[in-house]
Amino acid sequence: MVNTPPPPTRFNFAAHLLATNAGRPAKTAFIDDQGTLSYGELAQQIRRCAAGLGALGLRREDRVLLLMHDCSDWPVAFLGSLYAGVVPVAVNTLLTADDYAFMLRDSRAQAALVSGALLPTLQAALAQGGHEVGPVVVSRAAPELPDGCTDFDALLAAQAQADVADTHADEAAFWLYSSGSTGKPKGTVHTQANLYWTAELYGKAVLGLTEADTVFSAAKLFFAYGLGNALTFPLSVGASVVLMAERPTPQAVFKRLVAQKPTVFYGAPTGFGGMLASPDLPARGQVALRLCSSAGEALPRDIGERWSAHFGCEVIDGIGSTEMLHVFLSNRPGDVRYGTTGKPVDGYDIQLRDENGAVVTRHNEIGDLYIQGPSAALMYWNNRDKSRDTFQGVWTKSGDKYTRDPDGYYTYAGRNDDMLKVSGIYVSPFEVEATLVQHPAILEAAVIGRTDIDGLTKTKAFVVLKAGQSLTDEDVKAFCKEHLAPYKYPRFVEFVPELPKTATGKIQRFRLREKETDTGL
């Protein structure tokens, strides 16, 4: 266990960041698509935002929906809410009006902070009724705002700087909705102190961030991963952050890597794979990367090795979750073993448990992953059964399966819902997928179980080929037979143009299983 001191009992994370950066007012905090924001300007805007929320009638512990594209207004709105003791509910910008209508009803948000480009979708959600929302504050709005809407810049400009709310370290501070890789999203409630712990235990101790760094995250701020990457961690050390409103296509990411020269880049395996396959991949000399981080799903060995060979910097793969807020199991700079997720982050304890709940002691045996650590969420909102199943005393059930080798490195085996039993033996979909993507013609793959005519479970692979490539299902099977145990190779192969994913890049295997059911296969 590390010796990181806990935050004081009365603790406000936004105030903590302002105090941390009080000595660097001219330093650039954020670089977005429209300009820059210094640490001094950030502090003023956070305090004005807190005052503005109060002027709109919001009180301590009221919830506000935060639906914004990544720009400097996002951290101002999020931290301004924390500073005021108001609870921001940060939501995915890629969802539908139906999704937002559910989240508004579920969270009982009293106001909404929204990007101008997303206002029509929010209005469609509000029109469904079920919960009345008060003020709607619009960031980077069009000149003419609809009735009932307030311009974000005008709101801030009209305020004096507010005093900080006297919040408790364990007070509910913000919500994140789970990404829905296994179904309906859940409102996950986090505390003021949880942000502090992830910054101390991972941002500083593992990533080694300093004020000399410029960071850029493909994962957006509304995700737990992106929130740490592009707000919590860099602002805890006075680093600079590149924000991008558009989707992280390879070309959009390359533009920032070359123009802004970030030293640390955060992505997901799908993104790293897509960039390596792009003909526009920058040369090593065009970028300034010292370190890259991957999360969302386990990073295939081949992708990590090829990225390192091209750019000369490591990709440290780790696993985190919305429930734990950020990464708790990770490779380290200088100690990267590609194909594994590394070792527990100092400050977190890990257990693997078998089907009966007993701790797995044998090496390389698959077990359910449980985590104990200070950044665990309080609960899922309005979902006691799921809360009790996931948050079990000091332990959090991850829903993932892992193995541990004799050297203490953990290797991902798949989600609990995704694991297959073939011939009475567990098969990890990820192991088969990681083998498939080693084929030079295959871009991505996803593996599920399919019942054959005898009622037995066999593996089926959905395969996305690289542009201009061609394979047969027998080619795929033959390749897997060379690299996998006989019972693991996919008996069924289907070529598809793309895989269903969450906005974080996680493959939604449950949608592939639904597709099989719907087609009667």
Side-chain angles (χ1 to χ4, degrees):
M1 185 72 176
V2 293
N3 294 318
T4 302
T9 301
R10 308 306 304 184
F11 179 74
N12 183 287
F13 184 73
H16 166 71
L17 291 183
L18 297 192
T20 298
N21 296 297
R24 51 176 72 92
K27 172 81 184 291
T28 297
F30 290 100
I31 307 162
D32 69 11
D33 298 337
Q34 294 190 11
T36 63
L37 188 71
S38 71
Y39 272 101
E41 292 167 334
L42 175 66
Q44 286 188 354
Q45 291 194 15
I46 288 170
R47 294 188 178 105
R48 291 178 183 275
C49 180
L53 294 174
L56 292 173
L58 293 165
R59 300 173 296 176
R60 283 280 301 275
E61 302 181 10
D62 278 347
R63 292 177 289 280
V64 296
L65 193 79
L66 177 52
L67 175 60
M68 284 187 183
H69 289 135
D70 279 21
C71 66
S72 60
D73 285 351
W74 203 106
V76 170
F78 182 82
L79 294 172
S81 298
L82 294 188
Y83 197 83
V86 171
V87 179
V89 179
V91 298
N92 188 332
T93 59
L94 302 174
L95 302 180
T96 66
D98 289 347
D99 295 317
Y100 299 132
F102 162 74
M103 292 172 176
L104 288 167
R105 292 192 301 269
D106 187 53
S107 68
R108 309 295 295 174
Q110 299 300 302
L113 303 167
V114 59
S115 289
L118 297 169
L119 180 59
T121 307
L122 176 65
Q123 289 176 313
L126 293 170
Q128 294 188 22
H131 170 60
E132 185 175 346
V133 174
V136 175
V137 181
V138 186
S139 162
R140 307 198 175 184
E144 296 294 327
L145 276 176
D147 291 341
C149 294
T150 300
D151 179 77
F152 188 69
D153 289 337
L155 178 68
L156 268 58
Q159 309 303 318
Q161 297 187 45
D163 294 329
V164 64
D166 181 26
T167 51
H168 194 287
D170 291 337
E171 187 171 320
F174 65 101
W175 295 18
L176 300 172
Y177 273 92
S178 62
S179 59
S181 61
T182 57
K184 200 171 189 63
K186 300 175 288 295
T188 311
V189 182
H190 279 283
T191 70
Q192 293 276 349
N194 287 0
L195 295 159
Y196 168 86
W197 283 116
T198 57
E200 295 295 316
L201 299 179
Y202 194 73
K204 294 180 182 179
V206 175
L207 298 177
L209 293 182
T210 73
E211 64 179 339
D213 281 310
T214 297
V215 308
F216 173 42
S217 175
K220 299 299 185 180
L221 285 163
F222 54 77
F223 295 122
Y225 182 47
L227 179 63
N229 298 344
L231 193 156
T232 310
F233 300 169
L235 266 58
S236 292
V237 298
S240 298
V241 183
V242 177
L243 295 177
M244 178 178 72
E246 63 186 299
R247 297 190 69 168
T249 63
Q251 288 69 30
V253 172
F254 296 157
K255 178 180 176 181
R256 275 76 181 181
L257 292 180
V258 172
Q260 303 298 344
K261 295 288 192 294
T263 55
V264 178
F265 172 69
Y266 312 84
T270 299
F272 284 110
M275 286 187 281
L276 286 169
S278 171
D280 301 321
L281 186 69
R284 182 185 299 189
Q286 292 179 276
V287 304
L289 296 172
R290 71 165 182 85
L291 182 67
C292 293
S293 165
S294 178
E297 282 200 317
L299 180 73
R301 180 195 302 271
D302 176 65
I303 290 177
E305 290 176 344
R306 287 193 289 130
W307 185 274
S308 289
H310 183 84
F311 285 112
C313 69
E314 295 173 316
V315 184
I316 56 167
D317 186 28
I319 181 176
S321 66
T322 305
E323 292 78 8
M324 295 301 297
L325 190 55
H326 213 275
V327 171
F328 48 78
L329 181 64
S330 181
N331 285 273
R332 266 88 166 162
D335 183 21
V336 172
R337 186 172 294 190
Y338 286 122
T340 80
T341 317
K343 297 178 179 180
V345 172
D346 288 345
Y348 294 88
D349 293 324
I350 301 293
Q351 283 186 356
L352 298 183
R353 302 181 188 176
D354 65 19
E355 292 176 335
N356 299 314
V359 176
V360 171
T361 57
R362 289 182 295 181
H363 295 135
N364 300 316
E365 181 178 347
I366 293 174
D368 295 321
L369 181 70
Y370 286 74
I371 315 101
Q372 179 183 166
S375 62
L378 294 173
M379 61 177 167
Y380 298 128
W381 187 258
N382 284 348
N383 204 328
R384 179 175 288 192
D385 287 344
K386 284 287 187 181
S387 294
R388 285 176 169 172
D389 183 54
T390 298
F391 305 108
Q392 301 180 8
V394 298
W395 292 96
T396 299
K397 177 182 175 181
S398 72
D400 297 291
K401 287 187 181 291
Y402 265 82
T403 63
R404 183 182 60 251
D405 69 17
D407 296 326
Y409 291 85
Y410 287 73
T411 299
Y412 182 65
R415 293 285 300 176
N416 287 357
D417 294 339
D418 296 329
M419 291 298 292
L420 310 174
K421 259 197 174 178
V422 178
S423 302
I425 306 172
Y426 270 127
V427 174
S428 162
F430 178 75
E431 181 186 8
V432 183
E433 292 162 5
T435 300
L436 286 165
V437 297
Q438 293 177 35
H439 194 291
I442 294 177
L443 177 64
E444 295 179 311
V447 171
I448 64 170
R450 172 178 166 178
T451 303
D452 66 12
I453 58 174
D454 297 318
L456 300 175
T457 298
K458 297 294 188 293
T459 51
K460 175 174 181 177
F462 293 83
V463 175
V464 180
L465 296 176
K466 294 179 180 176
Q469 299 295 316
S470 176
L471 290 176
T472 67
D473 57 350
E474 292 304 318
D475 294 331
V476 173
K477 293 176 183 179
F479 180 79
C480 289
K481 288 177 182 179
E482 294 177 6
H483 297 87
L484 291 169
Y487 64 91
K488 296 180 180 179
Y489 85 88
R491 266 51 171 194
F492 310 99
V493 177
E494 180 177 341
F495 296 98
V496 294
E498 61 182 1
L499 298 173
K501 297 171 190 166
T502 69
T504 51
K506 294 180 183 178
I507 297 170
Q508 294 177 310
R509 294 178 188 83
F510 75 95
R511 296 201 181 280
L512 297 174
R513 290 193 291 268
E514 290 172 353
K515 177 177 179 291
E516 293 288 284
T517 302
D518 291 343
T519 55
L521 297 178

